[in-house]
Amino acid sequence: MQQIVNGTLALIYRLAHAARGALWHIARPSLLGVRALVVRDEQVLLVRHRGGATPWGLPGGAVDPDERLEEAARREIYEETGVPARLQRVLGVYDAFHFNYVNYIVVFVFTAQSEPGLSRSIEIAEARFFPFDDLPNGIDPGSRRRIDDYLSGAAGISALW
């Protein structure tokens, strides 16, 4: 039964993702998003999306209207992983120019306050901590670069995603 539920959720996610892409192709929006590098004991918290060639990545998403960036990052962490987190610092601000839209992404570094719980997001299949030196296959390249930025001790970055 759980396999059917997971398969159905994955299909819904892929269809919604494709519909969003088509809409953005027409509207050509400028987007503002956040990602969170959540650390604990030499480990990083990653989420696995229900679809895509590189499903593993940092938790994050869009900033809601009238929402502070830090609050958006904290909300996304909790929605996608169930983990409350404490802010450490801003890692950087990144520009992503994809297809016909622009996405500005602010990446924050947080400290995890608990273990992952149930995701409150249809797009997320699971959330887990991984040692920095043993990341999963299928991690998205942008998340991989942000982890490398963090491990290098960088801060205040302005770069391409």
Side-chain angles (χ1 to χ4, degrees):
M1 180 64 168
Q2 188 61 39
Q3 240 179 348
I4 293 171
V5 170
N6 285 337
T8 302
L9 290 174
L11 177 62
I12 291 168
Y13 171 73
R14 285 193 289 273
L15 290 172
H17 197 266
R20 180 184 73 181
L23 178 63
W24 286 355
H25 182 76
I26 295 166
R28 299 177 184 220
S30 290
L31 307 170
L32 180 59
V34 292
R35 291 284 184 110
L37 207 149
V38 183
V39 297
R40 178 196 73 185
D41 301 326
E42 302 301 316
Q43 297 181 325
V44 63
L45 181 61
L46 298 176
V47 295
R48 184 173 58 85
H49 291 86
R50 292 193 184 275
T54 54
W56 287 100
L58 298 173
V63 177
D64 290 338
D66 300 320
E67 184 177 37
R68 294 185 61 236
L69 295 170
E70 176 189 339
E71 291 169 357
R74 194 181 313 277
R75 174 183 52 76
E76 288 287 345
I77 295 166
Y78 193 75
E79 285 177 2
E80 294 184 356
T81 72
V83 173
R86 183 173 38 88
L87 178 66
Q88 287 186 2
R89 63 184 170 93
V90 173
L91 180 66
V93 179
Y94 301 86
D95 311 307
F97 304 107
H98 298 290
F99 311 107
N100 291 314
Y101 65 92
V102 176
N103 192 2
Y104 301 103
I105 306 162
V106 181
V107 179
F108 292 90
V109 178
F110 285 87
T111 303
Q113 303 296 295
S114 74
E115 291 293 319
L118 292 176
S119 172
R120 299 170 187 247
S121 172
I122 191 172
E123 67 184 304
I124 304 302
E126 68 177 303
R128 291 185 7 215
F129 281 100
F130 290 90
F132 284 112
D133 62 356
D134 191 23
L135 298 175
N137 292 327
I139 187 169
D140 79 78
S143 292
R144 177 71 235 197
R145 287 190 298 273
R146 300 308 67 89
I147 292 168
D148 291 343
D149 290 344
Y150 171 79
L151 292 173
S152 75
I157 298 169
S158 176
L160 290 175
W161 181 254

